[in-house]
Amino acid sequence: MSPVRQNRPSPWFLVPWMLLIVAAPALRAEDPVPRTEPPYQDDREFVRNFANRLGKLAKAGKCLAPTELKAKIKPGKCSLTLPPAADKTLSPEEIYRRALQSTLAIGSVEYVNDDRPRWEDVSMGTAWVLSADGVLVTNCHMFLDIGEEFFGVCTHDGRVHPVTDLLACDIVEDLAIIRIDAAGLTPLAVELHEPVGAWVGVLSHPADAFYTYTQGSITRYYTLRERRELTYWMSITAEFAYGSSGGPVLNRQGNVVGIATMTTAVVYPGDEEIARDDSPLQMVVKAAVPTSRLMRLIEQKK
């Protein structure tokens, strides 16, 4: 028969050491505190995914053909049902989170048939959702002077949809309303204007830095004469650059009040007077098309 073990109390001098051993994990102050990493954007992978998937859609005949697209670049309007403007003031962080799912990259691919046949990305810009059934807004200059290009859009999480129609455009105002093959999208509401000095944010893709969010204010409204016609502009301090074309300019309620379109460098006149180590560049004016001009292309359904 095996001997029976009896539970005996530990000697008193062992109790403190036992307590230290049990509590040791909680006393290791050198353990790092767990931190949550922010989501990082892989721009190179974003473009590669876009070109590959859009190329497959173009090959399958899902995209608007270049000849059809070129034929549609003419003045016109479209009939849409738009969501009402929001009236609740949001934080800049909330505005970004809401706009993220409604802002897309728009671009084109062209088939290159050389010793390494492939679909290659040609251009990239920005678009945003106007209605849930796949209607978007971007700049008209995205579609000017194109070759044999097929257009599509990519969401922030990598879903690619083909551009299937150009519903309305205005070359002078540099606005285009397009349709993509998608449904159940989250639209951004439109508000007609904000006063000078009001806060604005821009979500866009400057120089392929996808989903860059900048903030600033409206500095003025002004006109320029383009092709013997007046064009209407809103100047803002929120940064954007090439690749931002068509991006939404958002107010404190997350409504779109402008479309990022053009930058103009202000250079000091007579730069021979500038010291060799100084730059003649003084500032860059960022201009957006006010949404009041966009609404001229839309007949709202009742």
Side-chain angles (χ1 to χ4, degrees):
M1 180 180 293
S2 300
V4 176
R5 289 186 176 180
Q6 295 182 354
N7 294 325
R8 297 181 180 179
S10 301
W12 65 270
F13 57 85
L14 292 179
V15 172
W17 292 103
M18 293 173 67
L19 291 174
L20 284 174
I21 292 171
V22 171
L27 296 176
R28 291 176 58 186
E30 69 275 10
D31 284 351
V33 177
R35 296 182 183 274
T36 302
E37 289 283 351
Y40 291 94
Q41 180 73 47
D42 188 335
D43 296 327
R44 198 170 185 178
E45 175 60 23
F46 189 89
V47 173
R48 188 197 67 81
N49 169 74
F50 173 77
N52 287 344
R53 296 193 178 190
L54 182 56
K56 292 178 181 177
L57 291 169
K59 184 178 180 181
K62 302 293 185 181
C63 302
L64 182 65
T67 52
E68 295 179 50
L69 175 57
K70 293 173 186 177
K72 289 176 176 288
I73 301 175
K74 55 187 178 181
K77 296 184 178 183
C78 60
S79 181
L80 299 171
T81 300
L82 303 182
D87 56 7
K88 179 183 178 183
T89 299
L90 305 173
S91 69
E93 295 87 348
E94 289 174 313
I95 293 168
Y96 166 78
R97 285 194 295 269
R98 293 191 180 195
L100 186 64
Q101 60 188 333
S102 306
T103 304
L104 299 86
I106 180 171
S108 62
V109 294
E110 192 169 32
Y111 187 68
V112 178
N113 190 13
D114 55 15
D115 57 342
R116 188 171 61 89
R118 65 199 180 279
W119 287 96
E120 194 170 82
D121 62 287
V122 179
S123 62
M124 296 295 286
T126 310
W128 49 277
V129 180
L130 185 61
S131 69
D133 57 350
V135 178
L136 311 181
V137 174
T138 189
N139 281 140
C140 186
H141 72 246
M142 287 293 302
F143 309 112
L144 301 179
D145 302 321
I146 63 172
E148 295 303 308
E149 299 168 43
F150 296 85
F151 282 82
V153 300
C154 189
T155 63
H156 71 97
D157 54 359
R159 290 173 289 125
V160 178
H161 303 284
V163 172
T164 58
D165 202 359
L166 177 59
L167 302 179
C169 72
D170 189 322
I171 296 176
V172 176
E173 297 281 6
D174 203 357
L175 293 171
I177 299 174
I178 62 174
R179 183 178 293 280
I180 63 172
D181 185 10
L185 303 177
T186 302
L188 293 172
V190 172
E191 194 158 311
L192 293 184
H193 68 275
E194 283 284 338
V196 170
W199 180 96
V200 289
V202 174
L203 185 59
S204 65
H205 318 300
D208 289 354
F210 295 98
Y211 290 96
T212 296
Y213 183 49
T214 62
Q215 302 173 47
S217 61
I218 300 172
T219 61
R220 70 174 189 141
Y221 290 91
Y222 63 101
T223 60
L224 292 174
R225 192 162 293 279
E226 181 75 19
R227 302 183 184 184
R228 298 183 180 180
E229 295 187 48
L230 280 180
T231 55
Y232 298 80
W233 300 93
M234 174 176 68
S235 181
I236 63 176
T237 59
E239 297 283 357
F240 62 84
Y242 74 91
S244 297
S245 295
V249 180
L250 305 155
N251 67 3
R252 290 303 300 266
Q253 290 73 40
N255 301 318
V256 180
V257 294
I259 299 92
T261 301
M262 179 178 68
T263 63
T264 304
V266 178
V267 178
Y268 189 85
D271 40 57
E272 67 277 358
E273 301 175 7
I274 303 295
R276 180 175 298 176
D277 296 333
D278 293 333
S279 169
L281 178 65
Q282 294 197 314
M283 67 183 293
V284 177
V285 176
K286 275 79 64 177
V289 180
T291 47
S292 59
R293 309 309 293 175
L294 172 66
M295 296 305 295
R296 295 171 64 251
L297 303 182
I298 300 170
E299 296 175 348
Q300 292 205 61
K301 295 180 181 178
K302 296 183 179 180

